[in-house]
Amino acid sequence: MRLTTLKIEADEDIVRLRMVGQEVARRCGFAKFAETRIVTALLELGRNIVQHGGGGRMTLSLEPRAGALELAVEAIDQGPGIPDLDARL
């Protein structure tokens, strides 16, 4: 179930991402420590999209996994990608 898709193109979008991430984590019932980790991960992804990816978007969804719901994040940017990804992995 898709919760929201956010445009990530500038620093202002990172501020909004933090607020939305906190609210989603809180409403989903994550513990405060987990909420902090979720928001930190979202902010790192968002900053990378702005600084290295030429802007993009993030989609937050809830997905069923093993009888529970899991928060899933899809981050898409406009960057050129990583040359020779297989060799780097």
Side-chain angles (χ1 to χ4, degrees):
M1 165 180 42
R2 184 172 62 90
L3 299 173
T4 189
T5 298
L6 303 168
K7 170 188 70 146
I8 309 292
E9 295 178 351
D11 290 339
E12 298 81 31
D13 298 324
I14 303 298
V15 173
R16 187 169 40 89
L17 175 62
R18 175 188 294 180
M19 292 186 302
V20 169
Q22 285 175 328
E23 185 65 21
V24 165
R26 194 173 301 125
R27 286 186 183 212
C28 288
F30 287 99
K32 188 67 176 169
F33 180 74
E35 177 185 322
T36 300
R37 292 182 72 182
I38 289 166
V39 170
T40 300
L42 291 174
L43 292 176
E44 289 297 320
L45 285 168
R47 283 189 193 105
N48 284 341
I49 288 172
V50 170
Q51 292 175 353
H52 306 291
R57 69 182 186 279
M58 291 179 68
T59 299
L60 282 64
S61 303
L62 289 177
E63 297 183 4
R65 299 263 195 250
L69 288 177
E70 182 177 275
L71 180 61
V73 177
E74 179 182 46
I76 298 175
D77 65 32
Q78 302 302 312
I82 299 171
D84 200 6
L85 181 60
D86 290 333
R88 293 178 186 262
L89 293 176

